[in-house]
Amino acid sequence: GLASIKVLDQKGEIVADASRELPGGRRTREGPLSVFGHKLGRMEMIFSTYEGDQRIRGIHGLYLGLTVGFILLGAAGAFFLSSSITRPLSDLIDGTRKFGAGDFATRVPVRSGDEIGELGTVFNAMAGRLERFVSDLLQIQEYSAELSSHLVQEELHATVIRLFMKRLMVRRALLLIKE
């Protein structure tokens, strides 16, 4: 706002003065005062920059608030974006470790249809096939052990029968000799 107006004559003496105190800084404008081409003196106007400063401070505050808000929003967005990438990868790493430790029933959750989700789907399919393969191998091992046990028992029976037959033959031979 306008803080003061001073009219000075040609000698620089104040002819009229309408001043009031306003807070803030000052800005001065001055120029010649003439009427119908006759130079009467000069006019000096002083403006307060307080209202403008207040508006600028308000705008700075608004911009600062918006900047901080956008930074926080960007940080939150980055956090959620990175979580959406790292969580499925962590699940896949955990599943791979469990599978490598012998937990063949391990599957990983598939939360998306992107490349990471596709990797999880492929892992789960591979884990299913390997689980069935390991299960089949364990079954074959059981059958082999059972068959081996039967073969050992049959071999034992055959050996007992052979020994029995030899003994029987020895007794017959002894009886024949005695006769």
Side-chain angles (χ1 to χ4, degrees):
L2 186 59
S4 75
I5 297 177
K6 293 181 185 178
V7 178
L8 301 126
D9 63 12
Q10 290 183 347
K11 294 178 188 172
E13 293 180 17
I14 298 174
V15 177
D17 187 356
S19 297
R20 63 183 177 153
E21 280 299 316
L22 290 176
R26 306 267 189 258
R27 189 174 48 184
T28 304
R29 297 278 184 212
E30 55 181 74
L33 180 61
S34 56
V35 176
F36 301 114
H38 294 309
K39 187 175 180 189
L40 301 175
R42 60 186 177 93
M43 184 187 317
E44 186 178 277
M45 294 184 288
I46 299 175
F47 296 92
S48 171
T49 59
Y50 179 75
E51 289 176 13
D53 291 345
Q54 289 298 89
R55 285 189 196 132
I56 289 172
R57 281 190 198 101
I59 291 171
H60 281 207
L62 176 67
Y63 284 154
L64 179 63
L66 287 172
T67 301
V68 169
F70 283 127
I71 288 172
L72 292 175
L73 187 64
F79 173 77
F80 287 116
L81 180 64
S82 69
S83 292
S84 71
I85 293 171
T86 58
R87 188 178 315 124
L89 287 175
S90 293
D91 290 345
L92 195 57
I93 290 168
D94 290 344
T96 304
R97 285 186 179 137
K98 287 178 185 175
F99 195 85
D103 183 2
F104 299 115
T106 297
R107 300 297 182 273
V108 296
V110 178
R111 295 185 178 101
S112 65
D114 60 3
E115 291 84 359
I116 295 172
E118 185 177 349
L119 187 59
T121 301
V122 170
F123 173 84
N124 289 339
M126 176 197 70
R129 285 192 299 274
L130 286 174
E131 182 182 22
R132 284 189 298 278
F133 180 73
V134 168
S135 175
D136 291 348
L137 281 177
L138 290 174
Q139 229 176 3
I140 289 170
Q141 185 180 15
E142 280 180 37
Y143 292 148
S144 294
E146 195 176 310
L147 185 60
S148 176
S149 172
H150 288 299
L151 287 176
V152 167
Q153 284 179 355
E154 285 183 23
E155 204 173 292
L156 184 63
H157 287 282
T159 304
V160 169
I161 291 173
R162 271 196 310 268
L163 287 174
F164 180 74
M165 292 301 283
K166 281 185 184 177
R167 226 177 189 187
L168 206 68
M169 288 172 69
V170 167
R171 278 190 185 168
R172 273 193 187 171
L174 287 174
L175 284 175
L176 285 176
I177 296 176
K178 281 186 181 178
E179 290 179 10

